[in-house]
Amino acid sequence: MHTILAKKQLSPNVTRLDVLAPRIAEIKKPGQFVILRAREGDERIPLTIADADPTQGTIALVIQAVGKSTREIVAMEVCDAIRDISGPLGHPTELISSGRALCVGGGVGTAVVHPIAKALHAQGVQVTSVIGGRAKEWVIFEEELNRLGEVIVCTDDGSHGRKGFVTDAAKEVLEAGGIDVVYAVGPVPMMRAVANLTRPFGVHTIVSLNPVMVDGTGMCGGCRVDVGGETKFACVDGPEFDGHQVDFDLLADRLQTYREFEQRANACADGQCRIRR
Amino acid sequence: MSTISAKERMQIARQLMPEQEGLQRSGNFKEVNLGFSEQLAVLEAQRCLQCKDAKCIRGCPVQVNIPRFIQFITNGDLAGAAKSLASDNALPCISGRVCPQEEQCEGSCIRGAKGQPVAIGYLERFVADWALNQGSAAQEEAPAPTGKKVAVIGAGPAGLTAAGELAKKGHDVTIYEALHKPGGVLVYGIPEFRLPKKIVAAEVDRLTKAGVKIECNVVIGRTYTIPELQAQFDALFIANGAGLPVFMNVPGENFKGVYAANEYLTRVNLMEAYDAESANTPVLIGQRVAVVGGGNVAMDAVRTAKRLGAEKAMIVYRRTKEEMPARAEEIHHAAQEGVDFQLLVAPLEVVGDEKRWVTGLKCQRMELGEPDASGRRKPQPVAGSEFVLDCDVVVVAIGTKSNPLLTATCPELKLNKWGNIETDENGMTSLPGVFAGGDIVRGAATVILAMGDGKNAAQAIDRYLKTA
């Protein structure tokens, strides 16, 4: 059992939970994820490890409440316990050891970009972050990223930072020159747009993919993605890949597989229906 | 007890397994085979000729002394039968249900030469279930601790068997399991209607009562490495299973509605999607489901599809029923349940609609040519025979390949060209004190072969620990 030691609401639908998982806290590397199952009978949910405190033995999980299962998890309180957490899973981020990196985070993806930026900064890499959200209250990890280098905030409505998309700001950074690598994590359309943006600049671009997953050990094949025309399993071959090689259309499409089920489960959780199917 | 002559034994016909009626059971996930009554079991046991040179024992991957436990049944001594069986086989409730007996013990039974072999599998199950229902009454005395620590990687059939045998010898055993529940393929793969989860849970419970520790959610290769375990334990047994599913590598395979059998079965079994009322993990319910393959996994998937409500559940196999690797009973049960067999048919492409949902499987007809390297007649395409099989879910059950998750993080471990771990005749790997067995060594094989590996490795580990 993994007790929740701290809980913080980061944006209207994003919550941070600091959870006891000493072994994972001790060895996790940026880019890795865990699979958790909150209670007996619940789904297995993959979540990137946003931060870790090895002395306290905790890992930080940043959860966007979108479906029934994630809504139930964020409804848990301090002292409640998560039943199962396995990890750390996936390959760690491929980090450069010198030069300049551009880290682009969209929405909850900023929580995944943060540990990457932190590790880069620790290695002496100069980090510029471009992060975005719908409006001021949707922007997360701004303060933490500020400690690691320059941060450009973009909001759709201009209520905080610049008005516009992260790609507009990222473009300016790339045009100014000197960027050796780009790390981009966010919604699929954002990662696709960033990959398309960086391609003509010839800058290596790493994205973190979030396909449907079950076991997280390569056994089920549900998380298959197409990278450079080859089928890869995000759980064991990724979750990070060369953004210029990823088939984002396929990823977006396969993420729709259980949409109907999720909508029905959500409606049920809201008390809007009496039968599940 | 009664003594009966060989002639009388020969006159008894093989007893039939009582089972749920085919069409009724194709609508539920309850176990198909209901098990022998004591009366049926004694009758069947009397058919055994008690051969001096018992070929059945040699046919068994774990060398169960079959005539001995059957003799106890004939004598009405079920406790004796249970004790005899348990001393040879750590998981008899499971092997009695899922072994391919027709290729092993029953395939070697002398009575099979003229007529039907003794129903050894049904008798094994009968005795094992009887013992399970007796509860802890038959508990053995705890062995003296040896002070040696053994780590077992994977709580599937190989790992559970090895752990049981090692605990019997007094070693301190910890099993590390990657998933949230022990059992491996017994819980994620084999469906409830063939192997009820409560049977697996009871076997696991027996092990933990015998002192075996099980830590779930630990992925070796990620959470801990092999060298880290070597530092903490006196010996290791790697039994982490087969791993990555193989796909057909045809166009359309990533359309929505195409599953690897591992995913389809894991969703339904481990994640309990078969219970639509309360499950939180979804599975696509197909009206017409095409399962590609002819092994046990394919049969499990197609019979699952039928139970989930498919109007038509189809096996698509490029050879004929005779060449199918599945157990004879599974093929027979699938046919009884109304599964449609598309034989001598090979898939060419998954067909989808504009939203990339599966709408069909483009196939071609095959005919059998000359035998190939495996000795089976090689299927060859029939020119101009392409057609589209309408379906909305496709399940690919054509095998698995080795999972590099553990082995990639331990380069000292010698592998063969398929990425499976190489072992010597004792099951020891290239690393001293590190043993391996089951599918990570064999590629995709059976539950009983994995159990055999677990048993053999446990004996070898015990010898190793005594000399080390």
Coordinates of all heavy atoms in Angstrom, one line a residue, chain B residues 73 233 287 300 337 366 384 392:
Chain B
I73 N -7.0 -44.3 -5.1 CA -8.4 -44.0 -5.4 C -9.2 -45.3 -5.5 O -10.3 -45.4 -4.9 CB -8.6 -43.3 -6.8 CG1 -7.8 -42.0 -6.8 CG2 -10.1 -42.9 -7.1 CD1 -7.8 -41.3 -8.2
F233 N 20.5 -12.6 -2.3 CA 20.0 -14.0 -2.2 C 21.1 -15.0 -2.6 O 22.1 -14.7 -3.3 CB 18.8 -14.2 -3.2 CG 17.6 -13.4 -2.8 CD1 17.4 -12.1 -3.3 CD2 16.6 -14.0 -2.0 CE1 16.2 -11.4 -2.9 CE2 15.5 -13.3 -1.6 CZ 15.3 -12.0 -2.1
Q287 N -19.4 -8.1 -32.3 CA -20.5 -8.9 -32.8 C -20.0 -10.1 -33.6 O -20.5 -11.2 -33.6 CB -21.5 -8.1 -33.7 CG -22.3 -7.1 -32.9 CD -23.0 -7.7 -31.6 OE1 -23.7 -8.6 -31.8 NE2 -22.6 -7.2 -30.5
D300 N -8.8 -20.1 -26.2 CA -9.3 -19.3 -25.1 C -9.9 -18.0 -25.5 O -10.9 -17.5 -25.0 CB -8.1 -19.0 -24.2 CG -7.7 -20.2 -23.3 OD1 -8.4 -21.2 -23.3 OD2 -6.6 -20.2 -22.8
E337 N -19.5 -25.2 -28.5 CA -20.0 -23.9 -28.1 C -20.4 -23.1 -29.3 O -20.8 -21.9 -29.2 CB -19.0 -23.2 -27.2 CG -18.9 -23.8 -25.9 CD -17.6 -23.4 -25.1 OE1 -17.0 -22.5 -25.6 OE2 -17.3 -24.1 -24.2
M366 N -6.1 -21.5 -48.5 CA -4.9 -22.3 -48.6 C -5.1 -23.7 -48.9 O -6.3 -24.2 -48.7 CB -4.1 -22.2 -47.2 CG -4.0 -20.8 -46.6 SD -3.0 -19.7 -47.6 CE -1.4 -20.1 -47.0
G384 N -6.2 -16.6 -56.6 CA -7.5 -16.0 -56.9 C -8.5 -16.3 -55.8 O -9.7 -16.1 -56.1
D392 N -15.8 -7.3 -36.6 CA -15.5 -6.0 -36.0 C -14.5 -6.0 -34.9 O -14.0 -5.0 -34.5 CB -16.8 -5.3 -35.5 CG -17.7 -6.3 -34.6 OD1 -17.2 -7.4 -34.4 OD2 -18.8 -5.9 -34.2

